[in-house]
Amino acid sequence: MGNAQSPAANPRFASATRAFTPHELDDLKSLFVSLATKSESNGQYVSLPVFQAFFELKGPLGERLFDLVTQKRKDGKLTFEDLVIAKSIYEKGTKDEIDEFIFQLLDVTDDSVLGRSDIESVLIAVLKSVFSLKVNEDGSSLCHDVANVFLNAATFSNDVQGSAEKSMSFEDFRVWSGLLPSVRKFLGSLLIPPEAGRPGSEVPHLVHGENIDPNLILLKKEYAWHIGGALSQHELEQWKLLYHSAVNGLSFNTFLGSVSNGEGPTVLIIKDKEDCINGGYASQPWDRHGDFYGDMKSFLFQLYPKASIFKPTGANNNVQWCAVNFSSESIPNGIGFGGRVNHFGLFLSASFDLGHTFTCTTFGSPPLSKTSHIIPEVIECWGVVQKGIQQEKQDALKGTVLERFKEDRHMLNMVGLANSSE
């Protein structure tokens, strides 16, 4: 009778659209139409199989993400409004909102109890996606052991009624994700298609000489991915092995000679007698100093039996240490990171046969090994090849030479000699 009214717009959707530019909304609409067409839904919705195939997220993690994006309706239909609302929270929201979304994402069983098995299944899904790891014939995952290394850094402090197993609290999650920036990056960008360069998927290309058995190398690709989570994009292209104790010997002077050839940052890795693998990212070259030096880009890390990264806290500037041929007891010869003299976060003596690791306020790190005093078995150091920066330097040098050539030509022209050979 003329009183019919169109249904009111979803207020959440109306609010969510304001997080995007018109161009971004157009792109989202085009994506939705494309996926809805593949879903054979007359353009009305995106189905779970199409969603999982496009974002390359199968299994519990993909199902859980679809459930959250569709606001837990359980109808198997992802609408355009769902997509915009989810992306506005998950990608455009505050840090707290994004963390809360990821925290819910980890609860793959949707029982409000975030247990060890939930986290393990998510980690296995992440590793399979990043490294395309497969499953054994008996159903066990080839990345199960690697997942446990990352899982070992987690804390589960919440009591669960009727169960001896504890669950992960929101605060536990925030601490854990801070220790694993690569995992946090990946889980925070699942609605970005892999082909678009999903953050958290970058793995540095590891280059080493043919004179070393790959089985002797400490830095596996999974560990490189873990360390790379704390670095910028241009530092994740290629890492080159500069020094390995199995090839070069446990020699401090050889180490310094090998690593001085590289201009960029380095990744120092140590395996000790306790089978613990840890190390540090040095943003500055290993040069002789009589005191601490470096900047806040450096950090400490653990790789095995648990994986963690410890960035500078700002408590002090005692970042990097490299002392050579000092005779004073107050200046211990060797290399290290953080802490204070004779009480470093990580230290290797110049003899390369002893070291130590203590609780460190510089990086907020605990002792990195099972004991404070360590005996290194294997030491290796990788150079971070910064191709983008190297190209900029080459271009700058090239530009300088060209400008100099132009100036020389100008001077020759002035005296009439520029074309004398023509």
Side-chain angles (χ1 to χ4, degrees):
M1 298 291 296
N3 293 325
Q5 296 181 353
S6 59
N10 183 338
R12 290 189 66 195
F13 174 69
S15 175
T17 58
R18 291 194 287 270
F20 302 93
T21 65
H23 179 68
E24 288 174 328
L25 283 174
D26 287 343
D27 287 344
L28 284 179
K29 188 64 176 180
S30 297
L31 172 62
F32 175 79
V33 170
S34 173
L35 297 181
T37 299
K38 293 178 181 177
S39 301
E40 298 180 353
S41 65
N42 293 322
Q44 298 301 305
Y45 62 85
V46 178
S47 66
L48 173 60
V50 170
F51 175 86
Q52 289 183 305
F54 179 76
F55 291 104
E56 296 183 11
L57 294 168
K58 297 182 179 180
L61 182 59
E63 293 171 3
R64 179 58 173 167
L65 180 62
F66 186 82
D67 191 35
L68 290 180
V69 173
T70 56
Q71 304 176 61
K72 299 185 181 181
R73 288 192 309 273
K74 311 295 184 183
D75 59 4
K77 300 177 180 179
L78 188 158
T79 67
F80 179 61
E81 289 190 357
D82 291 333
L83 183 63
V84 173
I85 292 171
K87 274 187 165 282
S88 72
I89 298 171
Y90 185 36
E91 296 177 1
K92 301 282 190 176
T94 65
K95 184 180 185 303
D96 286 345
E97 289 173 333
I98 296 172
D99 280 349
E100 179 60 36
F101 190 97
I102 298 174
F103 184 64
Q104 292 184 57
L105 182 65
L106 294 173
D107 184 14
V108 291
T109 56
D110 196 23
D111 60 358
S112 300
V113 177
L114 195 52
R116 190 178 180 93
S117 59
D118 289 311
I119 307 296
E120 183 179 42
S121 67
V122 169
L123 285 172
I124 288 175
V126 170
L127 292 168
K128 285 181 181 178
S129 178
V130 174
F131 300 102
S132 301
L133 296 178
K134 299 180 180 179
V135 175
N136 289 321
E137 293 180 359
D138 61 0
S140 63
S141 172
L142 294 176
C143 50
H144 178 84
D145 291 342
V146 178
N148 276 328
V149 170
F150 292 106
L151 189 54
N152 288 340
T155 299
F156 299 86
S157 63
N158 273 359
D159 292 321
V160 180
Q161 187 174 3
S163 175
E165 182 182 353
K166 292 193 173 185
S167 68
M168 177 181 279
S169 69
F170 184 60
E171 186 55 37
D172 292 337
F173 159 73
R174 298 193 78 161
V175 171
W176 179 68
S177 63
L179 297 174
L180 301 171
S182 55
V183 175
R184 172 63 176 76
K185 277 185 182 180
F186 187 91
L187 293 177
S189 57
L190 295 183
L191 289 180
I192 296 176
E195 64 181 22
R198 178 182 286 159
S201 296
E202 304 92 348
V203 182
H205 177 53
L206 304 179
V207 179
H208 59 81
E210 297 180 355
N211 61 332
I212 183 169
D213 181 352
N215 294 321
L216 296 177
I217 293 177
L218 298 176
L219 186 61
K220 309 303 181 185
K221 59 184 179 180
E222 296 86 359
Y223 295 159
W225 172 69
H226 163 57
I227 297 169
L231 301 177
S232 59
Q233 180 68 36
H234 70 267
E235 294 173 298
L236 301 177
E237 294 186 34
Q238 184 182 104
W239 295 0
K240 183 178 180 180
L241 184 62
L242 302 177
Y243 168 89
H244 195 289
S245 56
V247 175
N248 307 106
L250 284 168
S251 167
F252 188 42
N253 289 332
T254 302
F255 169 85
L256 290 177
S258 299
V259 304
S260 63
N261 294 327
E263 296 182 0
T266 52
V267 178
L268 176 70
I269 304 175
I270 304 162
K271 179 183 178 183
D272 61 32
K273 291 284 187 180
E274 300 292 333
D275 286 330
C276 293
I277 305 175
N278 48 62
Y281 169 84
S283 63
Q284 299 298 315
W286 292 104
D287 294 330
R288 185 180 189 269
H289 289 77
D291 202 350
F292 283 100
Y293 69 105
D295 57 40
M296 294 301 167
K297 295 179 182 178
S298 299
F299 54 85
L300 288 175
F301 55 78
Q302 294 172 302
L303 301 180
Y304 186 85
K306 65 180 178 180
S308 301
I309 283 178
F310 305 98
K311 297 180 181 180
T313 62
N316 57 56
N317 296 318
N318 299 348
V319 178
Q320 205 170 325
W321 180 274
C322 183
V324 187
N325 297 327
F326 284 97
S327 58
S328 171
E329 292 184 1
S330 63
I331 306 178
N333 290 305
I335 55 175
F337 294 86
R340 61 181 188 274
V341 173
N342 295 320
H343 201 279
F344 294 87
L346 179 63
F347 179 77
L348 278 178
S349 68
S351 61
F352 264 27
D353 60 352
L354 294 172
H356 67 245
T357 173
F358 291 102
T359 300
C360 174
T361 56
T362 307
F363 299 102
S365 56
L368 302 181
S369 187
K370 294 178 182 178
T371 59
S372 291
H373 294 279
I374 60 176
I375 300 176
E377 275 192 337
V378 182
I379 303 171
E380 63 187 42
C381 188
W382 296 76
V384 176
V385 181
Q386 298 174 294
K387 290 187 176 181
I389 292 180
Q390 283 185 342
Q391 187 62 48
E392 288 178 8
K393 290 181 178 179
Q394 292 173 2
D395 290 345
L397 178 61
K398 182 179 179 181
T400 301
V401 172
L402 288 174
E403 288 301 319
R404 189 178 302 144
F405 175 74
K406 290 178 182 178
E407 291 176 4
D408 291 343
R409 292 281 297 182
H410 179 65
M411 290 297 296
L412 289 171
N413 280 324
M414 289 180 65
V415 295
L417 296 175
N419 298 316
S420 60
S421 63
E422 296 177 358

